[in-house]
Amino acid sequence: MLGMEPFYFTSYDRVIGAAGNIRELNKEMKRLAREDRGALEYHLACGHIVSWLEYTDEPELVKNLGGVKNIEEAIRVVESYVARSYMMHSMRRGRMH
């Protein structure tokens, strides 16, 4: 989707991270789990990440991440999705060549 707005992780009205796609979201969630757990917990608890995933048309992730407030579980869900997406992309490329 062209022109899609990134997800901005904020803490007290200050941007502390941004993700323009699912891989970046995964990376930023892992970083924030180490550096600012409170901010990540806030965005999970308020449903901000799930709302952004709805906007980016990621229904599988919306379904799997909806209601998840635990940081480690959320990271597992996103990481698993990224791994599956990469594997499927690789398989499609392999068949095409």
Side-chain angles (χ1 to χ4, degrees):
M1 172 192 273
L2 293 175
M4 184 174 61
E5 286 292 317
F7 180 79
Y8 294 104
F9 289 94
T10 59
S11 180
Y12 300 104
D13 296 326
R14 195 181 92 239
V15 174
I16 57 170
N21 58 50
I22 305 305
R23 284 181 178 227
E24 291 174 6
L25 179 70
N26 186 41
K27 181 180 164 191
E28 285 298 294
M29 287 176 67
K30 288 178 181 179
R31 182 183 66 79
L32 289 171
R34 292 185 311 271
E35 297 177 12
D36 194 338
R37 290 183 70 84
L40 182 53
E41 286 173 341
Y42 167 76
H43 287 293
L44 286 169
C46 291
H48 299 156
I49 296 170
V50 170
S51 292
W52 181 75
L53 291 168
E54 287 173 339
Y55 162 72
T56 62
D57 195 28
E58 293 288 349
E60 181 184 343
L61 259 178
V62 168
K63 179 182 170 214
N64 294 337
L65 201 57
V68 175
K69 293 175 178 48
N70 176 277
I71 289 175
E72 286 71 23
E73 183 181 351
I75 289 172
R76 274 193 303 274
V77 167
V78 174
E79 198 166 50
S80 174
Y81 181 84
V82 168
R84 262 192 333 278
S85 296
Y86 178 77
M87 183 181 69
M88 294 304 290
H89 175 75
S90 295
M91 288 173 60
R92 281 193 300 272
R93 287 194 62 200
R95 286 188 194 135
M96 297 172 99
H97 291 109

